[in-house]
Amino acid sequence: MISSDSIVALSSGRLPAGVAVIRISGPQSRFVFETIAGPVVKNRVAAYRKFRAPDGSVLDSGLVVFFAGPNSFTGEDIAEFHVHGGRAVVAKMLETIAGFDGVRHAEPGEFTRRAFLNGKVDLVETEALADLVNAETEAQRRFAVQNAESVQSELYLGWRGRLIHARAMIEAEIDFADEDDVPGSVAETVWSDVRAMIDEIERHVEGFRAAEIIRDGFEVVILGAPNAGKSSLFNALARREAAIVTEEPGTTRDLLEVVLDLEGMRVRVTDTAGLRETPGRIEAIGIERARSKAGTADLLLVLEDMVDPVPIGAIPADIPTLRIGTKVDLLRDESLATRYDAVISTRDGTGLAELLAEIGQRAAAQIGQAGDVLPSRLRHVELLNEAKRFLLAAVAGDERGQELRAEELRLAADRLGRIVGAVDVEDLLDVIFSQFCIGK
């Protein structure tokens, strides 16, 4: 696709900064470059230049790089101006460049959208670029890099290719059964491969929970009676006074959350209201929220004051749980500690490092092997499940005839193609690219 206009945006981070990168893409890029910085330098080679407005006034000085299309990120001519990262400098550069005929400010994600429309990236790679920009932990970075390098796309396109081949063989058997170059009775081989693909898709979809944990975080919820030490543990993990700690029961009435980075993994820890039988009306709302949150956790930390234990009633039986004994520094009978999976003291730090290590190990076990190819978006899972339904209908449709079964294969291949954008996905584009920052 050849764009009729050019787009410009700040493509680096928040200002002020040491250096700011201003990027322009489109047919006017070369003219803008030559007007502001002089003759175009050798392709992909940085050069130091003085930047001037069309009236000859000096704007700034810095490095310039030119990427000739189609061998650029967007597939169009791209020019980059590396300027001093002051707000006034960047504002004047953007104002000047956007003042050229045929140049306008870019919309969010518009550079990447042009890259997609020009065949430089597919939809899965596009989404991976967004993940890479937003990555906060090492696990998120590795996951995004893997998908940006087409590993996920290759898996889906490989399945789609197998289905196209299977459909072709079935239709060839239908239309040209008497021809010598059409192998006889290909159906058995084709349907065997389709059944194998159904199993492969099912195993792949099962990995979506691990992908969610990488992207959104491993969910840890702290439960316990009032004054069991929940907020003290929460503050110790947050390494700041994130929750109010007092001896008065019912101090915590809402959900408080802190995000930790444990060995490169994102872990979300939630502090909850103390669970007890006779709360006040407002406190009861907090307790209901606590129990609701517990039902969606990946791990529960159930705290109990070992000096003065108080029961909290039933907790979700299907959620992995660590029973934590608190205030071990005040415990006189050490044999009581054997009742718990771990014992801690937020006053002297006993057991906190071991508890963090245990949480990290459990998060890592949920994620599994970082090298696994995992579905990275809910839309991928939905389309994969649709494809699987068509494949199940195809293998179970002996009585329906080969023509209808071949059509089921076509529909399944269509769903796989939609994941990477190999078939019409125009209705998805605005949603996907609106999630990008300006300049990307």
Side-chain angles (χ1 to χ4, degrees):
M1 185 197 78
I2 300 176
S3 302
S4 60
D5 58 357
S6 297
I7 53 175
V8 62
L10 172 67
S11 292
S12 53
R14 181 178 299 177
L15 303 176
V19 175
V21 178
I22 295 173
R23 175 189 288 175
I24 177 174
S25 176
Q28 285 75 30
S29 297
R30 182 181 292 270
F31 176 73
V32 171
F33 183 109
E34 292 176 338
T35 303
I36 292 177
V40 170
V41 294
K42 186 177 179 181
N43 193 39
R44 298 174 178 269
V45 175
Y48 179 79
R49 295 285 177 85
K50 184 166 289 188
F51 305 143
R52 298 180 181 275
D55 63 6
S57 61
V58 176
L59 299 170
D60 193 19
S61 58
L63 296 178
V64 287
V65 189
F66 188 77
F67 304 87
N71 298 317
S72 68
F73 172 67
T74 61
E76 305 171 332
D77 285 349
I78 288 180
E80 287 186 356
F81 300 88
H82 297 221
V83 302
H84 293 92
R87 291 189 177 90
V89 173
V90 171
K92 188 62 178 177
M93 285 290 295
L94 289 173
E95 177 189 342
T96 301
I97 295 173
F100 284 81
D101 289 340
V103 181
R104 60 175 174 81
H105 293 286
E107 300 290 338
E110 193 168 2
F111 285 91
T112 308
R113 183 169 186 149
R114 290 191 178 199
F116 168 74
L117 293 174
N118 288 324
K120 307 301 290 187
V121 293
D122 63 34
L123 280 187
V124 173
E125 293 167 338
T126 293
E127 292 164 329
L129 288 174
D131 288 343
L132 192 58
V133 170
N134 295 320
E136 296 177 342
T137 67
E138 176 60 16
Q140 290 173 336
R141 184 198 65 81
R142 290 197 305 266
F143 185 52
V145 166
Q146 183 185 53
N147 291 336
E149 291 180 343
S150 302
V151 176
Q152 193 178 354
S153 297
E154 289 171 1
L155 175 65
Y156 301 148
L157 290 174
W159 283 335
R160 183 170 181 259
R162 285 162 63 184
L163 289 180
I164 292 172
H165 173 74
R167 182 186 170 205
M169 297 300 291
I170 292 295
E171 292 182 347
E173 188 176 69
I174 295 170
D175 296 335
F176 308 106
D178 297 333
E179 299 293 332
D180 293 337
D181 58 347
V182 176
S185 188
V186 299
E188 183 176 348
T189 301
V190 167
W191 298 122
S192 175
D193 185 52
V194 170
R195 291 186 186 93
M197 194 181 307
I198 292 172
D199 291 338
E200 293 169 20
I201 291 174
E202 286 180 342
R203 289 195 298 271
H204 179 67
V205 169
E206 288 172 358
F208 181 57
R209 180 58 193 142
E212 282 187 307
I213 291 174
I214 293 173
R215 286 169 49 85
D216 302 328
F218 183 74
E219 190 80 47
V220 178
V221 175
I222 304 174
L223 296 178
N227 292 331
K230 302 183 304 302
S231 294
S232 295
L233 173 60
F234 182 76
N235 288 340
L237 297 178
R239 297 183 180 179
R240 58 186 173 87
E241 293 296 319
I244 299 172
V245 179
T246 73
E247 295 181 359
E248 179 183 344
T251 302
T252 301
R253 296 185 176 183
D254 208 346
L255 302 179
L256 302 176
E257 183 179 283
V258 67
V259 177
L260 308 178
D261 185 339
L262 296 183
E263 300 297 327
M265 293 170 291
R266 193 172 195 257
V267 176
R268 299 206 320 259
V269 180
T270 302
D271 185 21
T272 63
L275 306 181
R276 59 174 175 167
E277 295 299 324
T278 57
R281 185 172 63 88
I282 301 300
E283 188 183 349
I285 297 174
I287 291 175
E288 177 60 29
R289 290 179 179 176
R291 293 194 181 278
S292 176
K293 186 70 172 179
T296 63
D298 296 305
L299 176 65
L300 297 178
L301 302 183
V302 179
L303 273 56
E304 188 172 84
D305 182 348
M306 292 188 291
V307 178
D308 183 21
V310 176
I312 62 171
I315 60 173
D318 57 340
I319 306 294
T321 300
L322 285 177
R323 296 190 175 275
I324 312 295
T326 64
K327 306 179 184 179
V328 66
D329 55 308
L330 302 178
L331 189 65
R332 295 182 179 179
D333 184 357
E334 295 184 359
S335 65
L336 297 176
T338 59
R339 302 176 181 177
Y340 303 95
D341 297 314
V343 294
I344 63 171
S345 170
T346 56
R347 179 172 294 178
D348 61 18
T350 300
L352 294 181
E354 292 79 5
L355 177 59
L356 280 172
E358 178 66 19
I359 294 172
Q361 290 172 9
R362 289 179 178 247
Q366 285 273 18
I367 291 174
Q369 296 296 322
D372 291 346
V373 181
L374 306 173
S376 57
R377 289 290 193 285
L378 179 59
R379 78 171 189 91
H380 301 172
V381 173
E382 292 171 345
L383 288 167
L384 287 166
N385 284 331
E386 286 185 27
K388 187 182 76 171
R389 285 196 294 272
F390 288 124
L391 295 181
L392 287 170
V395 298
D398 288 343
E399 72 286 351
R400 299 169 57 202
Q402 297 287 60
E403 293 90 345
L404 292 178
R405 299 175 79 186
E407 175 63 10
E408 301 285 4
L409 296 183
R410 184 192 70 79
L411 292 171
D414 173 83
R415 297 315 186 266
L416 294 172
R418 291 188 182 198
I419 299 178
V420 296
V423 296
D424 182 38
V425 289
E426 185 64 30
D427 55 334
L428 284 174
L429 298 187
D430 289 341
V431 174
I432 290 173
F433 291 107
S434 67
Q435 301 171 17
F436 279 77
C437 58
I438 298 290
K440 188 64 180 172

